[in-house]
Amino acid sequence: MRLAKLTLAGFKSFANRTEIPFDPPIVGIVGPNGCGKSNIVDAIKWVLGEQSAKSLRGGAMMDVIFNGSATRKPCGMASVTLTFDNPVIKDNGYRVSGIGYREEADGPESTQKLQAEPSGEASDAKSETRNPIPDTRPSRALPVDLDTVAVTRQLFRDGTSEYLINGRRVRLRDIRELFMDTGIGTDAYSVIEQGKVAQMLDSNPEQRRVIFEEAA
Amino acid sequence: MRLAKLTLAGFKSFANRTEIPFDPPIVGIVGPNGCGKSNIVDAIKWVLGEQSAKSLRGGAMMDVIFNGSATRKPCGMASVTLTFDNPVIKDNGYRVSGIGYREEADGPESTQKLQAEPSGEASDAKSETRNPIPDTRPSRALPVDLDTVAVTRQLFRDGTSEYLINGRRVRLRDIRELFMDTGIGTDAYSVIEQGKVAQMLDSNPEQRRVIFEEAA
Amino acid sequence: CRTRFEKTFHEVRENFAGNNGLFRKLFGGGKADIIMQADEQGNVDMLDSGIEIMAKPPGKEPCRLSQLSGGEKTMAAVAMLLAIFKTRPSPYAILDEVDAALDEANVERFCDVIHSFLDTSHFIVITHNKLTMQACDLLYGITMQERGVSKRVSVRLDQVGADGRIAQDAID
Amino acid sequence: CRTRFEKTFHEVRENFAGNNGLFRKLFGGGKADIIMQADEQGNVDMLDSGIEIMAKPPGKEPCRLSQLSGGEKTMAAVAMLLAIFKTRPSPYAILDEVDAALDEANVERFCDVIHSFLDTSHFIVITHNKLTMQACDLLYGITMQERGVSKRVSVRLDQVGADGRIAQDAID
Ligand SMILES: Nc1ncnc2c1ncn2[C@@H]1O[C@H](COP(=O)(O)OP(=O)(O)OP(=O)(O)O)[C@@H](O)[C@H]1O
Ligand SMILES: Nc1ncnc2c1ncn2[C@@H]1O[C@H](COP(=O)(O)OP(=O)(O)OP(=O)(O)O)[C@@H](O)[C@H]1O
Ligand SMILES: [Mg+2]
Ligand SMILES: [Mg+2]
């Protein structure tokens, strides 16, 4: 599973729709002070479910929507999409306990449809999910039987906010479950924010435990 | 009044006696990571009376004494001296309410001697200080009638610590009084430690007040 | 839960402080250790004790993390992050100006070590440092040609000025 | 006490946010302000209210300090420090790698502004940045030729390697 690209529109200083592909193993981002580099890091944290405005360097969550410049009016909404490649894992025997096993409940239904979608008639399979189906899908890192998985978050000026997986509305819980045990989404050790490097170790012994617990 | 030079011996990584003159207006300090640059900043904070070991990046105050290296044994004491030029101020009418006016009390006495010393027989003047003497000394930035003022702090392995002004033992209170109203010694705005630039403004509105209060 | 934490702790410790661990790789020598803090009676409780880190840069005495210099602390933190990474790989890592406090000798070691992780993770590195830029496979420049509005352009190393400014020909 | 604080507050505000203030000098334009926070009833108490700082980099909308970038925040903090300095000069200032997050355009402005303060204060600047080194009148190198033991040597700019290492001829 690989990070494929990031798409931002109306998010902080990215007023225009901007695509940032991440094909090669190391991608560098450069530019003068204040040009928007750290806003990219905020966009990735936000789309993966970040709930604290302060940790996105704002006062309120609305602060992530482009609020205008000398030559432009503010945007009406912020939208960020993170796309992952999710290829079939050559049979390494690694089974992901995917969403397919989940009992039918409200909400995940839309995610459930994600699974069934590719083979069309599976939508009649609703009754079957009461009995856990043997997982015959090829194994992939993300428990979605598709080659690419696009996670989207949107926020409108009126305060409404949406999460989407491959274009279908889901809840934050589904996003968290999608990435469970993959190391994605937990900030403890996959994102080092600007100026926070030494802080990771400066904290007291109790806080350091948290980093280890996240990893466990 | 100008900062003239800093002398360190046995302080942190400065095992040998080291002199650092500060003659020109902008002095740059360079060198690879871990070579001892920030230890110089700690030395200046320490000699001016810093009481918190944590703010000197240590666990206990003893951590400021050179604790050995692959080729050297630890030192028995740490000593830092900060020397100021304290020239006569061309008569700009600015009178410093120097120590000369103070009523006789315990402690400042030794500082008092500092004033009297240069003219020899003044040591009999002790009885006179009961009545405030008219301050006939030429005015200087520091209330000491000498061209150079050297402030020293020493710490021994057995825990004893001393403050000295021009070689005479004084108390911390005397050092603080020496620098009162000169802007020296308060960290709030004359020292920016490594990694702490943005923190000055990151703090909450109440903490920002403190910076203004220090300046007032 | 206890065994899982214990297993992770020992793996991270080995990856961080072992002879071929990340601390020695980033510092080019020296020693380090991660220790569970014992309580007054000397007991260590895997699920509760705090974690202390000791570091000994090459040629120096061992000391607490707080006594390290700014650059040494950054290197120790990066070593810890990558040690955790080795134990629980994540598909991506984002480093935002992690190299700001490093001198060039440390930047070179930092880039070398990152390269040894590329088979399991993708790195996104934000930097002002020319050496780090050279270590990247692809460079994106972010410019604000229209003030207040960010735009992404692809750049080659020679199009990034000494001041991080993107050359005009990359923007067009 | 109240009048003293009030006087200092207004002086610093003018030095920081005024038209010829330090914010505009360091940012090359824009606007800033220092405001006493009012309580719910809208009253401001000079001796008690918190202090809020608004910043508007050139060409951008005004925003809170926390929304500024790393480099912008550094420049705002330096502007504030020097504004206080102007109000209450101190014989020395020590800046430890303040320029670490700055791009070269900002480093140049930073050095220019420092130069305008030299008649009242001495500056001691610790840096890895070549441009800042050039702005210094004298350079000292700190080396650890003997591992773990710091030694001071005088250096010329050409003796400081790209990696902050001091050339051998300066050490001898
Ligand atoms: N909602 C928003 N609308 C418009 N602009 C915004 C918004 N939120 C933040 N910004 C702008 O984004 C800029 C900060 O960008 P960012 O922190 O990404 O800079 P940077 O490239 O990381 O710079 P540095 O190199 O200094 O760290 C600020 O100048 C701020 O004005
Ligand atoms: N009491 C002590 N005895 C001996 N060495 C000490 C003592 N206290 C600190 N040190 C050493 O001083 C070094 C830190 O020095 P300092 O913080 O001044 O480095 P620096 O030059 O500022 O580096 P950087 O560029 O990374 O900020 C540490 O490596 C530490 O081992
Ligand atoms: Mg940034
Ligand atoms: Mg330092």
Side-chain angles (χ1 to χ4, degrees), chain B residues 33-34 36-39 57 194, chain C residues 68-71, chain D residues 96-97 126 128:
Chain B
N33 287 139
K37 301 185 296 291
S38 298
N39 290 346
R57 301 181 292 155
Q194 189 168 7
Chain C
L68 292 180
S69 81
Chain D
D96 193 349
E97 306 213 17
I126 297 174
H128 286 296

Side-chain angles (χ1 to χ4, degrees), chain B residues 44-184:
Chain B
I44 292 175
K45 288 173 67 178
W46 187 68
V47 71
L48 292 172
E50 176 64 63
Q51 295 300 307
S52 145
K54 192 161 161 2
S55 130
L56 297 170
R57 301 181 292 155
M61 209 38 115
M62 280 297 174
D63 289 341
V64 300
I65 307 177
F66 178 70
N67 68 358
S69 71
T71 53
R72 285 213 193 193
K73 288 202 308 296
C75 286
M77 99 170 184
S79 168
V80 176
T81 300
L82 196 55
T83 311
F84 291 88
D85 286 347
N86 187 34
V88 171
I89 301 174
K90 298 283 166 285
D91 201 7
N92 63 0
Y94 171 48
R95 310 300 284 167
V96 182
S97 62
I99 295 178
Y101 283 105
R102 191 177 305 157
E103 291 305 321
E104 200 47 57
D106 69 323
E109 196 171 311
S110 52
T111 324
Q112 188 63 34
K113 274 205 205 87
L114 265 175
Q115 309 296 345
E117 204 70 68
S119 49
E121 73 289 353
S123 45
D124 315 339
K126 216 170 200 166
S127 53
E128 274 181 46
T129 51
R130 300 236 172 262
N131 312 312
I133 37 176
D135 191 348
T136 53
R137 295 169 302 150
S139 86
R140 299 175 192 261
L142 291 175
V144 172
D145 195 12
L146 294 167
D147 283 334
T148 60
V149 177
V151 176
T152 304
R153 181 174 178 178
Q154 296 176 333
L155 179 68
F156 295 86
R157 278 273 172 214
D158 63 7
T160 54
S161 111
E162 284 181 10
Y163 291 92
L164 307 150
I165 295 180
N166 286 3
R168 281 183 186 280
R169 275 193 72 170
V170 294
R171 296 166 321 163
L172 175 55
R173 224 179 71 180
D174 302 320
I175 304 249
R176 291 212 197 286
E177 275 168 343
L178 185 70
F179 292 123
M180 213 154 58
D181 275 353
T182 61
I184 292 178

Side-chain angles (χ1 to χ4, degrees), chain C:
Chain C
C1 191
R2 175 189 293 275
T3 46
R4 194 167 157 172
F5 182 84
E6 211 158 334
K7 188 168 154 290
T8 305
F9 178 78
H10 288 300
E11 264 182 63
V12 171
R13 187 174 171 201
E14 182 53 35
N15 287 337
F16 177 74
N19 269 345
N20 294 327
L22 282 150
F23 183 89
R24 284 175 55 81
K25 272 201 188 134
L26 279 164
F27 277 79
K31 245 176 78 216
D33 204 358
I34 305 177
I35 320 161
M36 282 291 199
Q37 275 185 332
D39 56 23
E40 284 77 61
Q41 289 79 35
N43 303 332
V44 169
D45 173 8
M46 266 300 172
L47 286 184
D48 207 24
S49 311
I51 291 172
E52 200 52 75
I53 299 171
M54 294 304 287
K56 181 182 168 338
K60 296 184 176 175
E61 292 299 295
C63 66
R64 246 184 280 256
L65 278 180
S66 64
Q67 287 177 286
L68 292 180
S69 81
E72 290 169 336
K73 233 190 249 169
T74 297
M75 295 296 269
V78 171
M80 176 68 89
L81 179 104
L82 295 177
I84 294 175
F85 240 65
K86 235 187 165 136
T87 314
R88 265 183 56 70
S90 158
Y92 66 89
I94 306 173
L95 308 175
D96 192 348
E97 306 212 16
V98 157
D99 54 3
L102 303 183
D103 62 30
E104 309 237 343
N106 277 330
V107 169
E108 277 165 12
R109 271 198 288 271
F110 166 67
C111 292
D112 288 348
V113 168
I114 297 270
H115 269 101
S116 64
F117 272 79
L118 297 184
D119 45 353
T120 54
S121 309
H122 253 54
F123 281 85
I124 299 169
V125 181
I126 298 174
T127 179
H128 286 294
N129 191 310
K130 274 280 192 291
L131 268 191
T132 310
M133 289 182 203
Q134 279 163 9
C136 296
D137 304 316
L138 179 71
L139 281 182
Y140 288 125
I142 308 292
T143 78
M144 274 194 173
Q145 221 186 344
E146 179 188 348
R147 276 219 164 136
V149 178
S150 296
K151 186 179 155 200
R152 173 192 68 76
V153 293
S154 289
V155 284
R156 295 188 311 273
L157 188 64
D158 56 1
Q159 291 173 315
V160 183
D163 67 347
R165 291 225 179 275
I166 320 286
Q168 194 53 31
D169 57 339
I171 295 175
D172 301 332

Side-chain angles (χ1 to χ4, degrees), chain A residues 32-39 41 57 194, chain C residues 96-97 126 128, chain D residues 68-71 101:
Chain A
N33 287 138
C35 68
K37 301 184 296 291
S38 299
N39 290 345
V41 179
R57 301 181 294 155
Q194 191 170 2
Chain C
D96 192 348
E97 306 212 16
I126 298 174
H128 286 294
Chain D
L68 291 180
S69 82

Side-chain angles (χ1 to χ4, degrees), chain A residues 101-127:
Chain A
Y101 284 108
R102 197 181 305 162
E103 291 304 318
E104 198 50 53
D106 71 325
E109 198 170 312
S110 55
T111 322
Q112 189 62 31
K113 274 206 202 85
L114 263 175
Q115 310 298 342
E117 203 71 68
S119 48
E121 71 287 355
S123 45
D124 311 339
K126 214 171 211 163
S127 52

Side-chain angles (χ1 to χ4, degrees), chain A residues 10-23:
Chain A
F11 183 86
K12 289 205 170 193
S13 53
F14 291 88
N16 302 327
R17 186 189 149 80
T18 308
E19 255 186 41
I20 303 177
F22 292 122
D23 299 331

Side-chain angles (χ1 to χ4, degrees), chain A residues 42-53:
Chain A
D42 291 340
I44 293 176
K45 287 172 67 180
W46 187 67
V47 69
L48 292 172
E50 177 64 62
Q51 294 301 307
S52 142

Side-chain angles (χ1 to χ4, degrees), chain D residues 35-53:
Chain D
I35 319 161
M36 283 290 197
Q37 275 186 332
D39 58 23
E40 284 80 69
Q41 289 78 33
N43 303 330
V44 167
D45 171 7
M46 265 300 174
L47 285 185
D48 208 21
S49 308
I51 290 175
E52 200 53 74
I53 299 173

